Amino acid sequence: QVQLVESGGGLAQVGGSLRLSCAASGGTFGNYAMGWFRRAPGKEREFVTSISSSGVYTYYADSVKGRFTISRDNAKNTAYLQMNSLKPEDTAVYYCARALRGLRYGVQTREYDYWGQGTQVTVSS
């Protein structure tokens, strides 16, 4: 059974930074692309960023491009999301997810098969 556990969420000031982690177990982490999604209250879940299995390829939603950075450490079975220059609009529950086997990276929820429980990020205005 694949398990993904996010951590690092919390309260940040506008313009501040947070670093999220996603620890994976129960699978071959290095064989899969990983992604981050977020869901704000009353809003639909949206794609944030994804990274290929090797870490070579990354893709970002326009709303976070230039501010967020996805990375991974396959030796530690962990993916990361560095969030800088935070805005109130970034307030949401953030989820990490494992992409379907064979995908370089994915941008749609249907392209992911396992999800973490989520971690709350709140940016004060």
Side-chain angles (χ1 to χ4, degrees), residues 24-80:
S25 62
T28 307
F29 179 77
N31 287 350
Y32 296 89
M34 298 292 295
W36 289 92
F37 291 75
R38 67 186 182 185
R39 178 176 51 80
K43 303 292 185 180
E44 297 294 324
R45 179 174 52 188
E46 66 173 347
F47 170 80
V48 177
T49 180
S50 62
I51 186 169
S52 62
S53 60
S54 67
V56 171
Y57 298 95
T58 58
Y59 187 78
Y60 297 90
D62 288 342
S63 59
V64 306
K65 194 174 299 181
R67 300 187 299 118
F68 291 10
T69 302
I70 188 172
S71 62
R72 65 191 298 159
D73 186 339
N74 287 349
K76 296 181 178 180
N77 292 340
T78 303
Y80 304 94

Side-chain angles (χ1 to χ4, degrees), residues 2-119:
V2 174
Q3 292 183 318
L4 305 174
V5 180
E6 302 96 335
S7 62
L11 179 65
Q13 302 294 320
V14 173
S17 298
L18 285 173
R19 181 177 173 85
L20 307 184
S21 298
C22 174
S25 62
T28 307
F29 179 77
N31 287 350
Y32 296 89
M34 298 292 295
W36 289 92
F37 291 75
R38 67 186 182 185
R39 178 176 51 80
K43 303 292 185 180
E44 297 294 324
R45 179 174 52 188
E46 66 173 347
F47 170 80
V48 177
T49 180
S50 62
I51 186 169
S52 62
S53 60
S54 67
V56 171
Y57 298 95
T58 58
Y59 187 78
Y60 297 90
D62 288 342
S63 59
V64 306
K65 194 174 299 181
R67 300 187 299 118
F68 291 10
T69 302
I70 188 172
S71 62
R72 65 191 298 159
D73 186 339
N74 287 349
K76 296 181 178 180
N77 292 340
T78 303
Y80 304 94
L81 180 63
Q82 179 67 46
M83 304 184 294
N84 298 328
S85 302
L86 284 164
K87 304 176 180 179
E89 309 92 88
D90 297 320
T91 296
V93 177
Y94 284 72
Y95 301 88
C96 68
R98 191 187 81 172
L100 298 175
R101 184 176 180 177
L103 293 178
R104 181 171 294 168
Y105 55 81
V107 300
Q108 301 174 233
T109 59
R110 65 179 296 276
E111 295 174 305
Y112 294 83
D113 55 2
Y114 288 96
W115 297 78
Q117 66 181 18
T119 185

